[in-house]
Amino acid sequence: MYNISLITGDGIGPELSESVVTVLNTINDKLDLKFSIKELQAGDIALKNTGKALPDETLDAIKSSDVCLKAPVGESAADVIVVLRRMLDLYANIRPAKSYPHMPALHDDIDMVIVRENTEDLYTGKEFAVDGAGVALRIISEDASKRIAKYAFETSKQRGQKNKVTCVHKSNVMRLTDGIFSKACKEVAQDYPGISFEEMYVDACAMNLIRQPQSFDVIVTTNLFGDILSDESSQVVGGLGMAPAANIGDKFALFEPVHGAAFDIAGKQIANPSSFILSVKMMLDWLSQKHNDAKCSEVASKLESTVHDVVKSGIKTKDIGGDKTTKEFTNEIVSRLV
Ligand code: ATP
């Protein structure tokens, strides 16, 4: 039995959470993998109800669970996810971009992962007003850079596909900070002779993600660049509705869609739940590794192939060219999960 904490979020968060609870309950009932789910508040709704975007009760419940699922939160996102990433030391943000069939996408043969450093860079929120200007601290340390580089090489090794890591930075302009990142990645590369290593400036990478995304295997990059490039890579394979993410540390992990609360489509039952369902797939893979539980990995593969088969058969939500509601799409997934 795995104890899952679930932040139900804002905007389309509650609709996506309902979908994921349906999927988990089906796995629980039909595939004999047991979960207990604790639904929690965080984000705009929690701020309104309790005065805190991340209430203590939510934080305590997350800490005592085995793993956390987080639906998108709204305007207070920085006070929730950025805090959780740092507090729980979830240093690796993993964002796969994979082609699914019949997507409104630029390419249909992509299978890559962005490994984004999750604790440093401009996201530490250290900003000051100085003489009428705003100043932000960009912190890049050798330790954190080496740690994420190692994670990226291990990811490439485990995938066993193109065996390639691309280190993305802008060290020709940010000589000290990105110089440290580049040097750390180069040093770690020495320990992985079986994996080819290349460096790319972030502007060139943004271009190549559109021009030849098939050439990438694993991209390792700093926090802000990773945030931007992963939105781009998800669009290249069909949009944010298909984009899952993982925030991983040595002891704990949190899984969430790449996208935000999407208030423009909230409450309309048109959101694509695949981003969150595929985040559950990533969660099952992580639980499998952590607990040496083959059943989790078996169900993870089944869940992913079910999403693949459902969209292949033309059952899709509006964002990817279909007409199904969030609930109809979810029901199709669970009906095939036997
Ligand atoms: P944030 O800055 O918090 O990441 P954002 O306002 O930039 O959020 P998102 O919420 O990430 O934007 O999404 C951008 C747009 O993509 C949304 O306005 C919505 O139209 C679309 N979108 C995002 N997620 C989904 C989804 N799961 N299903 C369908 N459309 C989506």
Side-chain angles (χ1 to χ4, degrees):
M1 161 87 80
Y2 294 108
N3 294 310
I4 300 174
S5 46
L6 167 66
I7 294 175
T8 51
D10 305 311
I12 59 173
E15 291 159 73
L16 299 195
S17 297
E18 202 184 315
S19 167
V20 151
V21 168
T22 306
V23 168
L24 286 169
N25 284 340
T26 306
I27 293 172
N28 190 84
D29 296 343
K30 290 192 189 171
L31 301 178
D32 200 29
L33 190 57
K34 298 299 173 200
F35 303 108
S36 137
I37 305 165
K38 182 155 189 175
E39 294 192 18
L40 304 166
Q41 276 190 10
D44 298 357
I45 184 116
L47 188 61
K48 192 167 156 232
N49 292 343
T50 70
K52 275 184 165 181
L54 186 59
D56 296 342
E57 196 189 309
T58 296
L59 191 56
D60 291 344
I62 292 171
K63 282 181 179 164
S64 62
S65 67
D66 293 312
V67 68
C68 180
L69 284 171
K70 184 198 137 287
V73 298
E75 293 305 312
S76 52
D79 298 323
V80 180
I81 189 61
V82 179
V83 172
L84 282 173
R85 283 170 185 160
R86 260 184 287 141
M87 203 173 258
L88 303 170
D89 199 22
L90 307 176
Y91 62 88
N93 193 325
I94 312 304
R95 298 185 161 191
K98 191 169 174 174
S99 296
Y100 283 88
H102 308 317
M103 288 292 139
L106 292 171
H107 303 271
D108 60 6
D109 51 357
I110 300 164
D111 190 347
M112 57 167 287
V113 177
I114 295 184
V115 174
R116 160 188 168 195
E117 204 290 320
N118 223 9
T119 62
E120 300 194 324
D121 199 351
L122 288 166
Y123 282 46
T124 53
K126 294 189 168 55
E127 293 191 299
F128 314 93
V130 180
D131 292 340
V135 176
L137 284 187
R138 183 167 193 260
I139 298 160
I140 305 286
S141 73
E142 189 185 331
D143 283 353
S145 302
K146 281 194 169 160
R147 182 164 74 158
I148 200 67
K150 189 166 185 297
Y151 199 97
F153 279 93
E154 286 295 328
T155 302
S156 180
K157 195 164 119 184
Q158 211 177 321
R159 280 161 59 79
Q161 296 183 15
K162 298 189 192 101
N163 294 319
K164 182 168 140 187
V165 170
T166 307
C167 168
V168 173
H169 54 75
K170 190 74 180 168
S171 68
N172 53 337
V173 176
M174 290 175 283
R175 294 199 177 108
L176 180 59
T177 48
D178 273 5
I180 288 172
F181 189 74
S182 158
K183 184 166 172 274
C185 290
K186 263 188 262 183
E187 281 176 21
V188 173
Q190 306 293 317
D191 300 333
Y192 294 87
I195 295 177
S196 64
F197 175 71
E198 65 177 5
E199 293 186 83
M200 199 176 281
Y201 292 133
V202 64
D203 42 351
C205 181
M207 182 181 70
N208 286 329
L209 275 174
I210 291 168
R211 203 167 64 167
Q212 45 178 22
Q214 306 87 342
S215 67
F216 291 108
D217 177 23
V218 174
I219 287 177
V220 62
T221 189
T222 48
N223 207 342
L224 177 62
F225 294 159
D227 197 6
I228 298 167
L229 293 175
S230 55
D231 265 30
E232 185 187 350
S233 63
S234 69
Q235 198 55 49
V236 172
V237 294
L240 286 166
M242 300 298 296
N247 298 268
I248 296 182
D250 289 333
K251 296 194 184 109
F252 195 74
L254 178 154
F255 299 82
E256 58 174 349
V258 165
H259 58 75
F263 288 108
D264 55 331
I265 56 166
K268 296 182 179 163
Q269 274 293 318
I270 57 170
N272 185 350
S274 302
S275 54
F276 210 12
I277 293 173
L278 292 169
S279 303
V280 170
K281 183 258 174 203
M282 294 182 83
M283 175 194 83
L284 291 169
D285 278 332
W286 181 80
L287 285 172
S288 166
Q289 270 196 356
K290 182 156 193 267
H291 299 278
N292 204 10
D293 184 343
K295 180 83 185 168
C296 280
S297 142
E298 185 195 309
V299 176
S301 302
K302 188 165 187 64
L303 189 55
E304 186 179 31
S305 64
T306 304
V307 173
H308 183 280
D309 292 348
V310 167
V311 294
K312 193 174 177 192
S313 66
I315 294 164
K316 299 190 286 184
T317 46
K318 194 172 164 212
D319 59 309
I320 50 172
D323 60 1
K324 298 295 174 217
T325 64
T326 310
K327 274 201 179 103
E328 286 166 344
F329 184 87
T330 307
N331 288 341
E332 191 62 33
I333 299 274
V334 297
S335 73
R336 296 186 189 209
L337 268 184
V338 281

